[in-house]
Amino acid sequence: MPINLTILGSGSAVPILGRGVTSQHLNINERRILIDCGEGTQLQLRRFKVKFQRIQYIFISHLHGDHFLGIFGLISSMSLLGRTNKLRIFGPDGLEEIVRHQFKLSQVYLSFDLEFTVVSCKEKELVFEDNSIEIYAFPLKHRVKCHGFLFQEKPRPPKMNKDKIKEYGLSLEEILTARRGEDVVREDGTILNAEVTHGIEKSASYAYCTDTRFVAKLPEWIEEASLLYHEATFTKAHTDRAKATGHSTAEDAANIAKLAKVDRLILGHFSSRYKDTKSILDEAKVAFDKVTCVEDGDVYLVN
Ligand SMILES: [Zn+2]
Ligand SMILES: [Zn+2]
């Protein structure tokens, strides 16, 4: 199943023409997930033809306006258009209070239920799982509490080699054992898994790391991710600004990608001081060459 990521907004701080503030839509095994929701996200969803009533989960990294101010308008439109399905929202402490207070004061009674889960962790932590995916949160280093997320497929059962099944005369019980990833042990003690399966496929994963200084533990938490989105608000020329505002340079982001041995890196959350992304991309390429700077509307295949 394809896992698609749509970039809805790739800028930072304030929306500008051609670059909205941060938001992304991830379709992973038919789970529709909105990641951050800056102002104007609902218009970007329409612009890039993502059906917003199908969103089941929203993950908010932190409570800076460029990452969550769009949530009120989006929820409001979902209700006006008659949504009945529950919406699950994961985010920092305080998010539920702000959202419910807003609708209470404006006497809006939503047509559907909101269910909030507070994300607050000091290490990598599982925050959601179902029969097909797992979602982890981990702490980032910003001016306010901020989390990154890892969206990952659960390991798939190994594919069986039909010819070898016949050759070794595997029983149904042994086939099921191998499919569960457990050892198929013969009477003489030999383990057959390597012979009778085509091996375990690597499960795809997407790591989302925004608004953060360099985090030394990050590579361990997102190791070998298929796709990494990392903010690169500044270039090295503005290291002082990056430090003062709790952000990364393109070099920081590329070093994280290299240390984590991810397959591909995409960069975003650019400061509007840069007219184009050339200097950011050139700087990142020194440490990690499978890198792209994102634009609003880009779609990436994660797997
Ligand atoms: Zn931001
Ligand atoms: Zn921020």
Side-chain angles (χ1 to χ4, degrees):
M1 225 179 297
I3 302 175
N4 283 316
L5 177 77
T6 305
I7 307 296
L8 300 165
S10 56
S12 69
V14 289
I16 54 171
L17 280 176
R19 217 181 263 288
V21 280
T22 303
S23 186
Q24 305 183 352
H25 180 267
L26 180 71
N27 179 350
I28 174 166
N29 297 359
E30 291 307 307
R31 278 80 179 149
R32 314 287 171 116
I33 302 170
L34 190 72
I35 312 167
D36 277 340
C37 187
E39 183 194 337
T41 292
Q42 60 170 319
L43 275 175
Q44 298 289 78
L45 285 161
R46 286 187 187 278
R47 197 171 153 210
F48 302 123
K49 302 195 167 36
V50 179
K51 293 196 170 78
F52 66 63
Q53 292 291 35
R54 293 176 77 174
I55 293 167
Q56 300 153 289
Y57 310 98
I58 299 180
F59 282 77
I60 300 291
S61 62
H62 67 301
L63 294 184
H64 278 160
D66 55 334
H67 296 262
F68 90 104
L69 285 181
I71 204 169
F72 310 103
L74 178 65
I75 291 174
S76 184
S77 294
M78 284 172 165
S79 182
L80 286 170
L81 296 171
R83 180 184 176 116
T84 52
N85 293 335
K86 183 172 81 178
L87 181 67
R88 290 195 65 184
I89 302 171
F90 295 75
D93 199 20
L95 178 62
E96 176 169 9
E97 201 182 335
I98 299 174
V99 172
R100 293 211 191 271
H101 202 61
Q102 148 77 28
F103 290 115
K104 189 179 159 201
L105 290 185
S106 52
Q107 296 178 24
V108 167
Y109 301 97
L110 298 174
S111 63
F112 60 98
D113 289 336
L114 298 176
E115 185 186 314
F116 287 85
T117 302
V118 175
V119 174
S120 176
C121 53
K122 292 197 166 74
E123 283 286 325
K124 184 179 175 183
E125 199 175 285
L126 183 73
V127 292
F128 175 86
E129 79 172 313
D130 61 19
N131 58 8
S132 140
I133 64 162
E134 289 171 346
I135 303 172
Y136 294 87
F138 42 82
L140 296 172
K141 281 187 187 160
H142 193 39
R143 302 196 306 281
V144 296
K145 219 179 212 188
C146 183
H147 294 90
F149 303 105
L150 180 71
F151 304 85
Q152 172 171 309
E153 285 183 297
K154 282 193 168 169
R156 294 189 200 150
K159 283 205 178 97
M160 303 301 294
N161 183 331
K162 282 181 189 160
D163 296 336
K164 295 288 178 184
I165 288 176
K166 264 189 205 156
E167 192 182 320
Y168 286 95
L170 249 60
S171 66
L172 179 62
E173 200 182 319
E174 284 175 319
I175 294 170
L176 294 174
T177 303
R179 292 271 295 165
R180 285 196 300 271
E182 294 165 15
D183 287 348
V184 179
V185 189
R186 283 290 162 96
E187 272 176 17
D188 64 356
T190 48
I191 296 172
L192 284 183
N193 297 57
E195 279 77 21
V196 297
T197 68
H198 292 294
I200 296 170
E201 257 180 74
K202 185 187 157 188
S203 50
S205 58
Y206 171 58
Y208 176 81
C209 304
T210 196
D211 288 40
T212 187
R213 296 186 180 95
F214 185 86
V215 177
K217 272 202 142 184
L218 200 49
E220 182 191 315
W221 293 331
I222 60 168
E223 199 177 6
E224 293 184 11
S226 318
L227 182 68
L228 164 64
Y229 169 87
H230 198 291
E231 70 121 305
T233 312
F234 298 104
T235 60
K236 276 195 291 189
H238 298 107
T239 300
D240 290 352
R241 282 301 295 155
K243 285 213 171 105
T245 55
H247 285 296
S248 297
T249 63
E251 184 183 56
D252 291 333
N255 281 332
I256 291 286
K258 187 179 168 185
L259 291 166
K261 301 184 203 80
V262 301
D263 293 344
R264 283 174 300 148
L265 168 66
I266 53 176
L267 301 173
H269 199 268
F270 310 119
S271 162
S272 55
R273 75 186 61 218
Y274 304 106
K275 283 195 195 72
D276 59 52
T277 53
K278 190 181 179 306
S279 56
I280 294 166
L281 190 67
D282 287 349
E283 182 175 309
K285 275 190 170 165
V286 175
F288 194 84
D289 68 346
K290 282 175 282 175
V291 56
T292 312
C293 287
V294 302
E295 300 293 335
D296 293 8
D298 281 356
V299 178
Y300 295 90
L301 199 60
V302 175
N303 50 343

